[in-house]
Amino acid sequence: MGTASAQTLDQALTHQLANFCQNLRAGDSSNPNPNFGAELQLLCFEPPTSPGVGGASVSGGAAGSTQTGNAFVKRFHKRRDNDEAGKKNGGGASADASTGLVDGLNLYFSGQGEGLDRKITTFEDGYRSTQWAVTTGADYLFTPWMLGGVALNFSQWSGDFVGGGDFRTNSFGPTVYASFYPLDGLFTDVFFRYGAKSFERSRGVSFTDFGVLKASGTATSKSGGDELETGALVGYDWTIKNLSIGPRLAFNYRRLQLNGYTESGNTGLELHYLKDGVDSLQTSAGIQASAAFSTSFAVLIPQVSADWTHEFALGQRNVSVRFAQDFRPDPTVFSYQTERPDRDFFHVGGGLVAVFPRELQAYVNFEALLGHAYLTDYVGTVGIRLGFN
């Protein structure tokens, strides 16, 4: 059957279920008994409490799949800033926890915690969430002007929908990267990342007809996807005595491919989601500054940073679905819309790197998202580096 377009998920479901599901069954030669599951049959053929259109209410409809794309990018760029601060002030190649085995080779690991909350908006439910991530890998200084490396990244993002239900997203995959130093003070980072993603979600669903509750429960699902990401960062640092300051310009492209999946439940409101894809292209322009202070026990390097990010590609999307209990050979496919993205926002951050004797470094960083219409985000990282050269 044809595809109908609507705005919110509530509106799309209301349209399909109204007046004995006449829109859902439109043009079906099997009327009045199409091949629906038991619960959907009940919603479509039980006489309404009053004539006219009923109302659908769905919580946690469209959230969670596109918000975490820059988590690794931020860790990668922050590692580079800590790295440069340490090298300029007597340390080795990285301010993550790291062990240098031979000259030019370093093993490292890093960890990160994040709190990400979303406001309720017209098109999507709000949520409160946390994310933690770990990265481990190795890099090697092939020449004085080029460093290359590979890393493995794992992250878990979980939260609770304001309207009921919860979600969890796991991501795991490799990253290859390189850093180039063509001139003193000038550097370029490039990377390519693949992430295998798994999604678990439960959301509260209900259907009312003129204030009378007809169905209520929880729709659960498990699904997967693949994420490809690439980006580059260009920067330059001027050194004035113990102060280092310079601009940063970055771009990041991400493609998230979502597999189709079917929700489970016993309300008749469960949905089957068709395959989908999400593209994001962002640029960031900012500045980084640090200063080195020698003490009796370590060189202390406080850092501050700020950037402005603009989103070019990600837009309001139509998500195509059908009822999971619509078993007809040609089921009705309809769609709802996601929220319009906020295209401009800012990040500010600060941190401290401590360079101790015997190739020991430690650091702490904090970053906040500012000026975003829907999101609040706070990120903290801590780490150490121990080298044996």
Side-chain angles (χ1 to χ4, degrees):
M1 293 186 180
T3 301
S5 184
Q7 289 186 317
T8 69
L9 181 54
D10 283 6
Q11 292 168 337
L13 292 173
T14 299
H15 179 77
Q16 297 299 322
L17 297 175
N19 297 321
F20 302 98
C21 302
Q22 67 176 15
N23 294 306
L24 182 64
R25 297 184 289 135
D28 191 342
S29 61
S30 63
N31 280 336
N33 294 303
N35 186 17
F36 291 162
E39 289 84 12
L40 186 57
Q41 285 271 11
L42 186 63
L43 293 179
C44 288
F45 294 99
E46 182 179 82
T49 304
S50 305
V53 178
S57 178
V58 178
S59 300
S65 64
T66 64
Q67 303 292 356
T68 59
N70 283 337
F72 170 76
V73 178
K74 287 294 182 180
R75 292 200 306 276
F76 178 72
H77 293 332
K78 182 54 64 179
R79 193 182 71 82
R80 108 98 47 224
D81 289 329
N82 292 331
D83 174 18
E84 288 302 297
K87 287 196 295 183
K88 290 176 181 177
N89 295 279
S94 175
D96 297 311
S98 173
T99 301
L101 298 180
V102 298
D103 287 347
L105 176 66
N106 280 273
L107 307 179
Y108 60 87
F109 64 89
S110 63
Q112 179 173 294
E114 181 175 2
L116 176 65
D117 297 340
R118 190 188 193 283
K119 300 177 182 178
I120 299 175
T121 58
T122 300
F123 294 95
E124 296 185 21
D125 193 13
Y127 56 78
R128 297 180 65 86
S129 70
T130 58
Q131 179 175 251
W132 62 269
V134 293
T135 301
T136 184
D139 53 43
Y140 183 75
L141 189 63
F142 291 93
T143 73
W145 53 268
M146 187 188 78
L147 177 145
V150 61
L152 290 176
N153 321 288
F154 176 80
S155 67
Q156 183 175 95
W157 180 35
S158 59
D160 297 307
F161 292 117
V162 175
D166 53 42
F167 64 90
R168 183 172 67 182
T169 300
N170 292 333
S171 181
F172 177 77
T175 300
V176 293
Y177 59 91
S179 297
F180 301 91
Y181 311 90
L183 299 172
D184 187 28
L186 178 66
F187 63 86
T188 300
D189 294 336
V190 294
F191 76 91
F192 178 83
R193 182 179 73 91
Y194 166 77
K197 305 184 80 70
S198 63
F199 306 95
E200 298 180 19
R201 186 176 68 167
S202 66
R203 60 185 182 92
V205 295
S206 62
F207 174 72
T208 60
D209 175 45
F210 283 88
V212 178
L213 184 65
K214 297 296 185 180
S216 179
T218 301
T220 62
S221 63
K222 292 184 178 182
S223 60
D226 298 285
E227 188 173 59
L228 298 176
E229 191 169 14
T230 187
L233 169 73
V234 178
Y236 187 87
D237 286 326
W238 287 278
T239 300
I240 307 170
K241 295 184 178 180
N242 68 328
L243 175 67
S244 179
I245 187 170
R248 304 287 190 268
L249 180 63
F251 91 90
N252 184 70
Y253 171 75
R254 181 170 59 98
R255 170 69 178 179
L256 175 61
Q257 189 67 43
L258 301 169
N259 300 336
Y261 64 96
T262 302
E263 294 178 320
S264 300
N266 58 5
T267 67
L269 299 171
E270 293 74 33
L271 299 174
H272 173 79
Y273 288 75
L274 278 62
K275 291 182 179 180
D276 198 5
V278 181
D279 291 283
S280 172
L281 176 62
Q282 294 183 350
T283 59
S284 296
I287 190 169
Q288 162 86 21
S290 63
F293 301 94
S294 296
T295 70
S296 59
F297 61 91
V299 178
L300 300 181
I301 311 165
Q303 300 178 337
V304 293
S305 63
D307 69 63
W308 160 60
T309 299
H310 179 76
E311 171 65 57
F312 289 90
L314 184 63
Q316 187 172 36
R317 300 183 298 115
N318 287 323
V319 179
S320 297
V321 297
R322 62 174 174 83
F323 283 104
Q325 292 191 15
D326 188 347
F327 301 131
R328 295 172 296 176
D330 189 15
T332 297
V333 175
F334 55 100
S335 65
Y336 67 88
Q337 291 176 310
T338 62
E339 188 60 74
R340 295 177 179 88
D342 191 348
R343 298 203 175 275
D344 294 282
F345 42 90
F346 303 87
H347 297 93
V348 295
L352 180 67
V353 179
V355 182
F356 298 96
R358 304 190 180 212
E359 301 293 330
L360 175 64
Q361 295 182 23
Y363 77 92
V364 58
N365 292 312
F366 179 80
E367 185 175 85
L369 174 67
L370 300 179
H372 199 286
Y374 317 127
L375 301 175
T376 57
D377 187 24
Y378 301 98
V379 183
T381 57
V382 294
I384 60 172
R385 174 193 180 272
L386 180 61
F388 299 95
N389 294 323

